[in-house]
Amino acid sequence: MEAVRASAAWVASRSSHVKVDMLEIEKAVDKIQGNVPKIEWDFEGIHYFDNGPLTVQYLFVLDALNFCFWPDKDLTYDNLASGLKLALEKDKTALDADRLKNYTGPQLRELLNWPRPLPIEEERVRLLHEVGLELERSFGGSAANLVKSAGNSAASLIELITRHFPGFRDHSLYKGHQVFLYKRAQIFVADLWGAFKGKNFGEFYDIHSITIFADYIVPAVLRELGILKYESNLCCSIDSNSEIVPGSEEEVEIRACSVHAVEKMRELINKKFGKQVGASESFLSFLNDHI
């Protein structure tokens, strides 16, 4: 995803609230010696998997909803994943396009077996409607058809997703420049690749083209490693659990610098150890284990 890499590098070169420490990147790379083991997808046992199109539908809906769990301290990604899994095990039509486009907030809560309103519930319902309507209109109601349309290219699939589903576009404006991060679209590709073990719906000849996912976990790990350095006011905001306003300079810098830092780590691992490393959750999970 060259647009993501280029815009992340552009932000990192102009960032005033967040800095990427190249010396700490070199220390981290030397510490792991390029040894990043493969971590199997779904080791928690929380995902639905039937090795077919319904798994693709499940992952697409899951990744459409995979954002903003704050301020509900009990709600996590695991609740979304396992809730949708149980819903499908009870009713294989629960995520059909014609049902997605009609769900209400209370029905979504019931689907997830969640006892109270979800954070940004109206937006989550809107995204379900968007997914259902566009899958029905352009892909015969099936996320599997969307994946097939990409011709086994991760980059093409991300382009299709962001063209047809505005909720996945993940753009920001930073100092008059458009920044592309495409977090959830890239997570969907990585989920397919991991779930299907690089075969069938998860076969992508350019899987290494995707970047790390600019979420809230990645910068926390990179900050702990000393790779990301924050200016004092931003440190205080984060350490006091204050909200970083979406689309603010601080938020864009944190996310873009995270992507840029991991890209620099990948480049250095390749240069020093001759290994090509995928920018996936497994990479950051492994780094997290070495803090």
Side-chain angles (χ1 to χ4, degrees):
M1 293 260 55
E2 289 312 309
V4 176
R5 287 184 177 84
S7 56
W10 194 90
V11 172
S13 69
R14 292 160 176 81
S15 176
S16 56
H17 305 282
V18 183
K19 296 298 180 185
V20 177
D21 190 324
M22 295 302 297
L23 289 176
E24 294 298 334
I25 285 179
E26 188 148 5
K27 287 180 188 177
V29 167
D30 286 342
K31 187 173 183 179
I32 64 177
Q33 292 288 300
N35 296 315
V36 183
K38 183 179 179 182
I39 296 177
E40 291 295 326
W41 185 86
D42 197 33
F43 55 88
E44 309 99 333
I46 60 172
H47 294 102
Y48 178 86
F49 185 74
D50 69 351
N51 203 35
L54 192 54
T55 295
V56 182
Q57 194 87 353
Y58 162 81
L59 290 173
F60 196 51
V61 172
L62 173 61
D63 290 330
L65 299 175
N66 180 17
F67 63 95
C68 190
F69 302 102
W70 187 87
D72 191 326
K73 60 182 177 59
D74 297 318
L75 181 67
T76 67
Y77 170 82
D78 289 11
N79 297 119
L80 291 185
S82 58
L84 291 176
K85 174 186 177 181
L86 290 172
L88 272 182
E89 288 175 345
K90 291 177 183 175
D91 178 3
K92 292 293 192 286
T93 71
L95 302 184
D96 284 3
D98 61 345
R99 295 185 63 180
L100 292 174
K101 67 183 186 181
N102 290 309
Y103 276 121
T104 64
Q107 287 171 333
L108 174 57
R109 278 177 250 152
E110 183 179 356
L111 191 72
L112 296 172
N113 193 30
W114 196 247
R116 54 186 173 272
L118 297 156
I120 319 182
E121 185 170 281
E122 288 185 4
E123 175 63 4
R124 284 186 157 93
V125 169
R126 188 195 71 77
L127 289 170
L128 282 186
H129 294 173
E130 177 182 283
V131 166
L133 285 165
E134 187 58 20
L135 283 180
E136 196 171 70
R137 178 167 53 201
S138 300
F139 301 100
S142 171
N145 289 337
L146 165 66
V147 174
K148 290 175 184 175
S149 300
N152 298 115
S153 168
S156 293
L157 180 53
I158 291 165
E159 191 279 326
L160 277 170
I161 292 168
T162 53
R163 172 154 41 101
H164 284 272
F165 302 91
F168 278 87
R169 284 179 187 158
D170 195 11
H171 293 183
S172 295
L173 193 65
Y174 177 80
K175 297 182 178 179
H177 190 88
Q178 197 164 25
V179 177
F180 305 93
L181 295 168
Y182 295 155
K183 170 195 158 186
R184 288 178 295 121
Q186 294 199 89
I187 288 176
F188 177 58
V189 170
D191 279 345
L192 289 170
W193 182 71
F196 291 94
K197 302 186 185 302
K199 299 176 182 177
N200 194 3
F201 293 108
E203 182 180 352
F204 301 106
Y205 62 80
D206 56 351
I207 188 61
H208 288 300
S209 69
I210 66 173
T211 70
I212 199 69
F213 320 127
D215 66 1
Y216 60 95
I217 296 172
V218 174
V221 174
L222 294 176
R223 184 188 181 200
E224 190 70 25
L225 286 167
I227 290 170
L228 291 189
K229 300 284 198 301
Y230 297 164
E231 54 87 21
S232 58
N233 288 338
L234 182 55
C235 280
C236 290
S237 295
I238 290 174
D239 293 341
S240 63
N241 291 319
S242 300
E243 181 182 11
I244 307 300
V245 178
S248 64
E249 280 197 3
E250 291 88 345
E251 192 240 13
V252 175
E253 288 181 12
I254 289 170
R255 299 182 74 208
C257 287
S258 296
V259 171
H260 184 65
V262 173
E263 287 303 307
K264 290 300 176 184
M265 293 181 80
R266 293 173 71 189
E267 289 174 11
L268 197 54
I269 287 172
N270 189 22
K271 180 180 178 181
K272 282 195 166 190
F273 305 104
K275 295 181 179 180
Q276 188 175 33
V277 183
S280 64
E281 296 129 315
S282 62
F283 190 20
L284 263 293
S285 296
F286 184 67
L287 290 177
N288 199 24
D289 290 341
H290 285 71
I291 291 174

